[in-house]
Amino acid sequence: MSTTGSVPVSLAEIARIAGVGRAAVSNWRRRHDSFPTRIGGTDVSPQFSLAEVEQWLRDNGKLDSIAGRELLWPRFEVLGSRDESGLAIAEAAHRMRSPRARSSRVALSAEAERLAVEAAKLGRNEGARETFEFLLQRWLETHVRQLSTTPPPLAALMARIGFGVRVGGFDEGLTVLDPACGTGHLVAAAVQECASSGVRVLACERDPALAALASARLEFVADDHDVRAEIAPADSLREDPFTEVRADVALCNPPFNERDWGYEELATDQRWTYGLPPRTEPELAWVQHLLAHLEPGGAAVVVLPPAVASRKAGRRIRGSLLRTGTLRAVVALPPGSAQPHSVSLQLWVLRAAPDGPGTVSPGQDALLIDATRFARTGGRESGPTWEPLQAFVLSALQALDRSDVELPDGAVRVPLIELLDDEVDVTPGRYTPVSAEPSGLELSTVWKEVGATLTDLARRAEHLSELELDGDRTQTTVGVGDLVKAGALSLRAGQQPLDGAVASGGSSVPLLTVADLLADGTPSGRVAVESAPVIAEKGDVVVAGVVRAFKAWVHEGPQTALGPQLHALRVDPAKLDAHFLAGCLRAPSNGRQAGTHASSSSRVDIRRLHVLQLPLAEQTAYAEVFRSLRDFEARLVNAGGTGRKLVDDVSDLLAAGGLGV
């Protein structure tokens, strides 16, 4: 057995170690008296000794398909320090590749060094690259709130843009630069996208742990490509280690909104050929840093927050970038493309003039591309649909130097004379209509659809108006808490995923939160199945237990994990009808009665919600009416949205003189 000490692990981590679902681990705990006892945590989120768990799994034959790295990761977590665990992973990667290494390249504690040695041994047995990528991904997920990474699809897109916009082909010995590389996502993507041999990769990262991990990643990438890589642990704005280097392609996802970026000490720096970046515009310092390192004809692609395109403080530098023909294109990305996920970030595409800096004709144009429409329809932060987004952006950029190429909808050439006004605003959405104006024929079709919907609503309203309703009748009710005690239903409260790990695919389910309900009701993310404490199944009644989003419905879709303040009720069909239960629970008066206090942010005590006491046969009749009301409401909301959009479209056409008189 490995030396695991008293490292604590959760039920979700035990499930990953054993290669089973979390429910199986809970079942083992209930059925086997020999299962290790809790050493920490709470009754809801217990923790166990990793050493005891490993021994129990071995003794009970539960380790047949175990991956050794699953046992290893909790020990990295216990190191506590983000930096030490990151450096230990990087050291492990180095030792995987250099088995004869006897000393660490960085200063580590005795436990971290022992762990790096053990991880290296495991990696040589189970696959060095796979083990490193596993540990790196877990490390990034654990510290996601402290780190900003570039998602692989975005990194690949930026690399393709950089090589595509650069003047010249895939010559041998190309140089790629990233002056703020993080863990190396962009430079790794650049190497994989570049078709030439002898690529030279230069990168900087001021965080030693990130720099060490980036260096380890590039070492593995070099196994499949002819690459010479150097990752310098330095602040490239203040202490540029590559002053004399000129790159063919530069890629960067710099830190945003930093105030202490070196404004005072760099005020006379020679890199500011387009103007001194204001103290509040560090992103424009990074832009000029990239340009200072480009070969003539070289290209740079940089991720920037949208405010950089329009802030008053940066207009002089934006104007200078346009006048010299350096800023060639701006791409507005959908929210969720990278951190911060709630913001529609931009890609600035820059190119150094092949013949050296100069001033271009005001008749030249810049390419502005609005790709925000490629956001997924399933929530605010679920990210873009990458394949069509990449195809759209790359298609639009083919027209960068060719006026004869037709632009796709959402991209437009804007003459510099229009951009060089008092604001010098290069926000794509200001110039690019997301879609073409609807034609009169299309509007006529929509009018007919709205008319049909209103006719259907009138029919349903007439049917519902014929119901015999008597507000004076008294009927006994029973609380949800009492129904739970009687075994008529079970109640489970949603929680934040146990390890906070949000998954992008694989064995994962949608994650629904109260914030999603306040938006469009669609889950905004995904979570690993084993990390989801509560999953709603088809037929469960889901209740939002907060006043501002109070509602109840029968879940009809796929399995969905429930976040905090959401509850899943599973009925005994011999005693309760799920639609009858949901209809009773979502009555507004019921929610008000069960609310803890009057504030809209207060919680609803689900156990205090009341349900009519009726025989199952009578519940069915009520359930049908509740369903009819729900359908009526859904169609009413849909008609309202369609009607508002129709009014807006017609108003736009009228304001443009579209009335045939």
Side-chain angles (χ1 to χ4, degrees), residues 89-99 101 105 128-129 132-133 136 183-184 187-188 191-192 201 211-231:
I89 293 171
E91 178 62 25
H94 170 62
R95 288 174 178 267
M96 290 176 202
R97 301 176 55 79
S98 303
R105 295 192 295 184
R129 179 179 297 189
F132 168 71
E133 289 293 343
L136 175 60
T183 55
V187 286
V191 171
Q192 292 166 352
V201 173
L213 289 167
S215 180
R217 168 177 268 161
L218 263 295
E219 288 178 0
F220 283 110
V221 172
D223 289 341
D224 301 324
H225 301 81
D226 182 11
V227 179
R228 293 175 295 133
E230 180 181 351
I231 312 294

Short mmCIF file of all heavy atoms in Angstrom, two decimals, residues 89-99 101 105 128-129 132-133 136 183-184 187-188 191-192 201 211-231:
data_model
loop_
_atom_site.label_atom_id
_atom_site.label_comp_id
_atom_site.label_asym_id
_atom_site.label_seq_id
_atom_site.Cartn_x
_atom_site.Cartn_y
_atom_site.Cartn_z
N ILE A 89 4.00 19.09 -9.14
CA ILE A 89 3.54 18.44 -10.38
C ILE A 89 4.54 18.67 -11.51
O ILE A 89 4.86 17.76 -12.28
CB ILE A 89 2.15 18.98 -10.77
CG1 ILE A 89 1.10 18.53 -9.73
CG2 ILE A 89 1.75 18.50 -12.16
CD1 ILE A 89 -0.24 19.18 -9.90
N ALA A 90 5.06 19.91 -11.59
CA ALA A 90 6.06 20.19 -12.63
C ALA A 90 7.32 19.37 -12.40
O ALA A 90 7.93 18.86 -13.35
CB ALA A 90 6.38 21.69 -12.63
N GLU A 91 7.73 19.24 -11.14
CA GLU A 91 8.92 18.44 -10.83
C GLU A 91 8.68 16.97 -11.16
O GLU A 91 9.58 16.28 -11.67
CB GLU A 91 9.28 18.60 -9.35
CG GLU A 91 10.48 17.77 -8.91
CD GLU A 91 11.77 18.13 -9.62
OE1 GLU A 91 11.89 19.29 -10.11
OE2 GLU A 91 12.66 17.26 -9.71
N ALA A 92 7.46 16.49 -10.90
CA ALA A 92 7.13 15.11 -11.25
C ALA A 92 7.26 14.89 -12.75
O ALA A 92 7.78 13.86 -13.21
CB ALA A 92 5.72 14.77 -10.77
N ALA A 93 6.78 15.86 -13.53
CA ALA A 93 6.88 15.75 -14.99
C ALA A 93 8.34 15.69 -15.43
O ALA A 93 8.71 14.90 -16.32
CB ALA A 93 6.17 16.93 -15.65
N HIS A 94 9.18 16.52 -14.81
CA HIS A 94 10.61 16.51 -15.15
C HIS A 94 11.23 15.15 -14.84
O HIS A 94 12.00 14.60 -15.65
CB HIS A 94 11.32 17.62 -14.36
CG HIS A 94 12.82 17.56 -14.44
ND1 HIS A 94 13.50 17.68 -15.62
CD2 HIS A 94 13.75 17.36 -13.47
CE1 HIS A 94 14.81 17.58 -15.39
NE2 HIS A 94 14.98 17.38 -14.09
N ARG A 95 10.88 14.58 -13.71
CA ARG A 95 11.46 13.29 -13.32
C ARG A 95 10.90 12.14 -14.17
O ARG A 95 11.58 11.14 -14.37
CB ARG A 95 11.20 13.03 -11.84
CG ARG A 95 12.04 13.92 -10.91
CD ARG A 95 11.66 13.72 -9.46
NE ARG A 95 12.49 14.53 -8.59
CZ ARG A 95 13.61 14.12 -7.99
NH1 ARG A 95 14.03 12.88 -8.20
NH2 ARG A 95 14.30 14.91 -7.21
N MET A 96 9.66 12.29 -14.66
CA MET A 96 9.13 11.28 -15.58
C MET A 96 10.00 11.19 -16.83
O MET A 96 10.22 10.11 -17.39
CB MET A 96 7.70 11.63 -15.98
CG MET A 96 6.67 11.49 -14.89
SD MET A 96 5.04 12.06 -15.48
CE MET A 96 4.21 12.42 -13.94
N ARG A 97 10.47 12.34 -17.28
CA ARG A 97 11.25 12.39 -18.51
C ARG A 97 12.74 12.16 -18.27
O ARG A 97 13.47 11.84 -19.19
CB ARG A 97 11.03 13.74 -19.19
CG ARG A 97 9.57 14.02 -19.53
CD ARG A 97 9.42 15.42 -20.12
NE ARG A 97 10.29 15.61 -21.26
CZ ARG A 97 10.04 15.16 -22.48
NH1 ARG A 97 8.92 14.52 -22.71
NH2 ARG A 97 10.88 15.36 -23.46
N SER A 98 13.16 12.38 -17.02
CA SER A 98 14.58 12.22 -16.68
C SER A 98 14.69 11.31 -15.46
O SER A 98 14.87 11.80 -14.32
CB SER A 98 15.23 13.58 -16.40
OG SER A 98 15.07 14.45 -17.50
N PRO A 99 14.55 10.00 -15.64
CA PRO A 99 14.52 9.08 -14.49
C PRO A 99 15.75 9.15 -13.60
O PRO A 99 15.69 8.79 -12.43
CB PRO A 99 14.40 7.70 -15.16
CG PRO A 99 13.86 7.98 -16.53
CD PRO A 99 14.42 9.31 -16.92
N ALA A 101 17.33 11.81 -12.64
CA ALA A 101 17.44 13.06 -11.89
C ALA A 101 17.50 12.75 -10.40
O ALA A 101 16.70 11.97 -9.88
CB ALA A 101 16.25 13.96 -12.19
N ARG A 105 14.60 20.57 -9.43
CA ARG A 105 14.97 21.82 -10.09
C ARG A 105 14.48 23.03 -9.32
O ARG A 105 14.91 24.14 -9.56
CB ARG A 105 14.42 21.83 -11.52
CG ARG A 105 15.03 20.78 -12.41
CD ARG A 105 14.70 21.00 -13.87
NE ARG A 105 13.28 20.86 -14.13
CZ ARG A 105 12.74 20.94 -15.35
NH1 ARG A 105 13.53 21.15 -16.40
NH2 ARG A 105 11.44 20.79 -15.52
N ALA A 128 3.51 8.76 -18.97
CA ALA A 128 4.00 10.02 -18.41
C ALA A 128 3.10 11.19 -18.78
O ALA A 128 2.68 11.97 -17.93
CB ALA A 128 5.44 10.27 -18.87
N ARG A 129 2.81 11.31 -20.07
CA ARG A 129 2.01 12.46 -20.50
C ARG A 129 0.61 12.40 -19.90
O ARG A 129 0.09 13.42 -19.44
CB ARG A 129 1.92 12.51 -22.03
CG ARG A 129 1.07 13.68 -22.53
CD ARG A 129 1.01 13.73 -24.03
NE ARG A 129 2.32 13.97 -24.63
CZ ARG A 129 2.50 14.23 -25.92
NH1 ARG A 129 1.46 14.27 -26.74
NH2 ARG A 129 3.69 14.43 -26.39
N PHE A 132 0.75 13.39 -16.22
CA PHE A 132 0.96 14.83 -16.05
C PHE A 132 -0.30 15.61 -16.39
O PHE A 132 -0.71 16.52 -15.64
CB PHE A 132 2.12 15.30 -16.93
CG PHE A 132 2.22 16.80 -17.03
CD1 PHE A 132 2.64 17.56 -15.95
CD2 PHE A 132 1.86 17.46 -18.20
CE1 PHE A 132 2.71 18.95 -16.03
CE2 PHE A 132 1.92 18.84 -18.29
CZ PHE A 132 2.35 19.59 -17.21
N GLU A 133 -0.95 15.30 -17.52
CA GLU A 133 -2.16 16.02 -17.91
C GLU A 133 -3.26 15.83 -16.87
O GLU A 133 -4.02 16.76 -16.59
CB GLU A 133 -2.63 15.55 -19.29
CG GLU A 133 -1.75 15.99 -20.44
CD GLU A 133 -1.79 17.50 -20.67
OE1 GLU A 133 -2.71 18.17 -20.15
OE2 GLU A 133 -0.88 18.02 -21.34
N LEU A 136 -2.28 18.00 -13.86
CA LEU A 136 -2.40 19.42 -14.21
C LEU A 136 -3.87 19.83 -14.27
O LEU A 136 -4.25 20.89 -13.74
CB LEU A 136 -1.73 19.68 -15.55
CG LEU A 136 -1.89 21.11 -16.11
CD1 LEU A 136 -1.30 22.13 -15.16
CD2 LEU A 136 -1.24 21.22 -17.49
N THR A 183 -0.12 28.54 -17.94
CA THR A 183 0.36 27.16 -17.99
C THR A 183 0.62 26.67 -19.41
O THR A 183 0.75 25.47 -19.63
CB THR A 183 -0.65 26.22 -17.29
OG1 THR A 183 -1.94 26.37 -17.89
CG2 THR A 183 -0.73 26.51 -15.81
N GLY A 184 0.67 27.59 -20.36
CA GLY A 184 1.14 27.23 -21.69
C GLY A 184 0.10 26.79 -22.69
O GLY A 184 0.43 26.17 -23.70
N VAL A 187 0.85 28.57 -26.33
CA VAL A 187 2.04 28.14 -27.07
C VAL A 187 1.92 26.67 -27.46
O VAL A 187 2.40 26.26 -28.54
CB VAL A 187 3.32 28.40 -26.23
CG1 VAL A 187 3.64 29.87 -26.21
CG2 VAL A 187 3.19 27.86 -24.81
N ALA A 188 1.28 25.85 -26.63
CA ALA A 188 1.06 24.45 -27.00
C ALA A 188 0.17 24.36 -28.23
O ALA A 188 0.42 23.57 -29.15
CB ALA A 188 0.45 23.68 -25.84
N VAL A 191 2.15 25.36 -31.42
CA VAL A 191 3.03 24.30 -31.92
C VAL A 191 2.22 23.26 -32.68
O VAL A 191 2.64 22.77 -33.75
CB VAL A 191 3.78 23.64 -30.74
CG1 VAL A 191 4.53 22.39 -31.21
CG2 VAL A 191 4.75 24.63 -30.12
N GLN A 192 1.07 22.92 -32.17
CA GLN A 192 0.24 21.90 -32.82
C GLN A 192 -0.36 22.40 -34.13
O GLN A 192 -0.64 21.62 -35.03
CB GLN A 192 -0.85 21.44 -31.86
CG GLN A 192 -0.30 20.67 -30.67
CD GLN A 192 -1.29 20.49 -29.54
OE1 GLN A 192 -2.37 21.07 -29.57
NE2 GLN A 192 -0.93 19.70 -28.55
N VAL A 201 9.82 28.39 -29.56
CA VAL A 201 8.78 28.91 -28.69
C VAL A 201 9.43 29.65 -27.53
O VAL A 201 10.26 29.08 -26.80
CB VAL A 201 7.89 27.77 -28.14
CG1 VAL A 201 6.93 28.32 -27.09
CG2 VAL A 201 7.11 27.12 -29.27
N ALA A 211 4.92 29.04 -14.58
CA ALA A 211 6.03 28.93 -15.53
C ALA A 211 6.59 27.50 -15.55
O ALA A 211 6.90 26.96 -16.62
CB ALA A 211 7.13 29.92 -15.16
N ALA A 212 6.72 26.88 -14.38
CA ALA A 212 7.24 25.52 -14.32
C ALA A 212 6.28 24.54 -15.00
O ALA A 212 6.72 23.63 -15.71
CB ALA A 212 7.46 25.12 -12.86
N LEU A 213 4.99 24.72 -14.81
CA LEU A 213 4.00 23.84 -15.44
C LEU A 213 3.98 24.04 -16.95
O LEU A 213 3.84 23.08 -17.72
CB LEU A 213 2.62 24.09 -14.84
CG LEU A 213 2.44 23.61 -13.40
CD1 LEU A 213 1.16 24.18 -12.79
CD2 LEU A 213 2.40 22.08 -13.35
N ALA A 214 4.09 25.30 -17.40
CA ALA A 214 4.15 25.56 -18.84
C ALA A 214 5.38 24.90 -19.46
O ALA A 214 5.31 24.32 -20.56
CB ALA A 214 4.16 27.07 -19.09
N SER A 215 6.50 24.98 -18.77
CA SER A 215 7.72 24.36 -19.28
C SER A 215 7.55 22.85 -19.39
O SER A 215 7.95 22.23 -20.39
CB SER A 215 8.89 24.70 -18.35
OG SER A 215 10.08 24.11 -18.82
N ALA A 216 6.91 22.24 -18.37
CA ALA A 216 6.68 20.80 -18.41
C ALA A 216 5.75 20.43 -19.57
O ALA A 216 5.97 19.44 -20.27
CB ALA A 216 6.08 20.34 -17.08
N ARG A 217 4.72 21.22 -19.77
CA ARG A 217 3.78 20.94 -20.86
C ARG A 217 4.51 21.00 -22.21
O ARG A 217 4.31 20.13 -23.08
CB ARG A 217 2.65 21.96 -20.84
CG ARG A 217 1.80 21.94 -22.08
CD ARG A 217 0.65 22.91 -21.97
NE ARG A 217 -0.53 22.25 -21.43
CZ ARG A 217 -1.56 22.86 -20.89
NH1 ARG A 217 -1.54 24.17 -20.78
NH2 ARG A 217 -2.60 22.20 -20.46
N LEU A 218 5.35 22.02 -22.41
CA LEU A 218 6.05 22.14 -23.69
C LEU A 218 7.04 21.00 -23.91
O LEU A 218 7.29 20.61 -25.05
CB LEU A 218 6.77 23.49 -23.75
CG LEU A 218 6.03 24.62 -24.48
CD1 LEU A 218 5.88 24.29 -25.96
CD2 LEU A 218 4.66 24.86 -23.88
N GLU A 219 7.59 20.48 -22.84
CA GLU A 219 8.50 19.34 -22.99
C GLU A 219 7.76 18.14 -23.58
O GLU A 219 8.29 17.42 -24.43
CB GLU A 219 9.12 18.98 -21.64
CG GLU A 219 10.16 19.98 -21.16
CD GLU A 219 10.72 19.61 -19.80
OE1 GLU A 219 10.30 18.57 -19.25
OE2 GLU A 219 11.57 20.36 -19.29
N PHE A 220 6.52 17.92 -23.13
CA PHE A 220 5.74 16.80 -23.67
C PHE A 220 5.32 17.09 -25.12
O PHE A 220 5.32 16.20 -25.96
CB PHE A 220 4.52 16.54 -22.80
CG PHE A 220 4.82 15.81 -21.53
CD1 PHE A 220 4.73 16.45 -20.30
CD2 PHE A 220 5.22 14.49 -21.57
CE1 PHE A 220 5.02 15.78 -19.12
CE2 PHE A 220 5.51 13.80 -20.39
CZ PHE A 220 5.41 14.45 -19.16
N VAL A 221 4.95 18.34 -25.41
CA VAL A 221 4.58 18.69 -26.78
C VAL A 221 5.75 18.47 -27.72
O VAL A 221 5.59 18.05 -28.87
CB VAL A 221 4.09 20.16 -26.84
CG1 VAL A 221 3.89 20.60 -28.29
CG2 VAL A 221 2.79 20.32 -26.06
N ALA A 222 6.96 18.74 -27.24
CA ALA A 222 8.15 18.60 -28.08
C ALA A 222 8.40 17.15 -28.49
O ALA A 222 9.14 16.90 -29.44
CB ALA A 222 9.37 19.14 -27.34
N ASP A 223 7.77 16.19 -27.78
CA ASP A 223 7.95 14.79 -28.15
C ASP A 223 7.40 14.50 -29.55
O ASP A 223 7.87 13.60 -30.24
CB ASP A 223 7.25 13.88 -27.14
CG ASP A 223 7.97 13.87 -25.79
OD1 ASP A 223 9.15 14.24 -25.77
OD2 ASP A 223 7.34 13.49 -24.79
N ASP A 224 6.38 15.26 -29.95
CA ASP A 224 5.73 15.01 -31.24
C ASP A 224 6.07 16.08 -32.29
O ASP A 224 5.61 15.97 -33.42
CB ASP A 224 4.20 14.97 -31.06
CG ASP A 224 3.77 13.89 -30.09
OD1 ASP A 224 4.40 12.82 -30.07
OD2 ASP A 224 2.81 14.14 -29.32
N HIS A 225 6.80 17.10 -31.91
CA HIS A 225 7.12 18.19 -32.84
C HIS A 225 8.58 18.61 -32.67
O HIS A 225 9.18 18.41 -31.61
CB HIS A 225 6.21 19.40 -32.58
CG HIS A 225 4.74 19.11 -32.71
ND1 HIS A 225 4.01 18.52 -31.71
CD2 HIS A 225 3.88 19.31 -33.75
CE1 HIS A 225 2.75 18.38 -32.09
NE2 HIS A 225 2.65 18.84 -33.32
N ASP A 226 9.09 19.18 -33.73
CA ASP A 226 10.47 19.71 -33.69
C ASP A 226 10.41 21.10 -33.08
O ASP A 226 10.19 22.09 -33.78
CB ASP A 226 11.03 19.74 -35.11
CG ASP A 226 12.48 20.23 -35.13
OD1 ASP A 226 13.09 20.33 -34.05
OD2 ASP A 226 12.98 20.53 -36.23
N VAL A 227 10.58 21.16 -31.76
CA VAL A 227 10.37 22.41 -31.03
C VAL A 227 11.58 22.72 -30.14
O VAL A 227 12.13 21.82 -29.49
CB VAL A 227 9.11 22.32 -30.13
CG1 VAL A 227 8.92 23.61 -29.35
CG2 VAL A 227 7.89 22.04 -30.97
N ARG A 228 11.93 23.98 -30.12
CA ARG A 228 12.90 24.50 -29.13
C ARG A 228 12.13 25.50 -28.28
O ARG A 228 11.66 26.52 -28.78
CB ARG A 228 14.08 25.17 -29.81
CG ARG A 228 14.98 24.20 -30.59
CD ARG A 228 16.06 24.96 -31.34
NE ARG A 228 15.50 25.81 -32.38
CZ ARG A 228 15.84 27.08 -32.56
NH1 ARG A 228 16.73 27.66 -31.77
NH2 ARG A 228 15.31 27.78 -33.54
N ALA A 229 12.01 25.21 -27.00
CA ALA A 229 11.17 26.03 -26.13
C ALA A 229 11.98 26.61 -24.98
O ALA A 229 12.88 25.96 -24.44
CB ALA A 229 10.00 25.22 -25.58
N GLU A 230 11.63 27.83 -24.63
CA GLU A 230 12.22 28.48 -23.45
C GLU A 230 11.12 29.24 -22.74
O GLU A 230 10.51 30.14 -23.30
CB GLU A 230 13.35 29.44 -23.85
CG GLU A 230 13.97 30.14 -22.65
CD GLU A 230 15.08 31.11 -23.03
OE1 GLU A 230 15.47 31.12 -24.22
OE2 GLU A 230 15.52 31.88 -22.16
N ILE A 231 10.88 28.88 -21.48
CA ILE A 231 9.88 29.55 -20.65
C ILE A 231 10.63 30.30 -19.57
O ILE A 231 11.28 29.70 -18.70
CB ILE A 231 8.89 28.55 -20.01
CG1 ILE A 231 8.37 27.57 -21.06
CG2 ILE A 231 7.77 29.30 -19.32
CD1 ILE A 231 7.52 28.19 -22.13
#
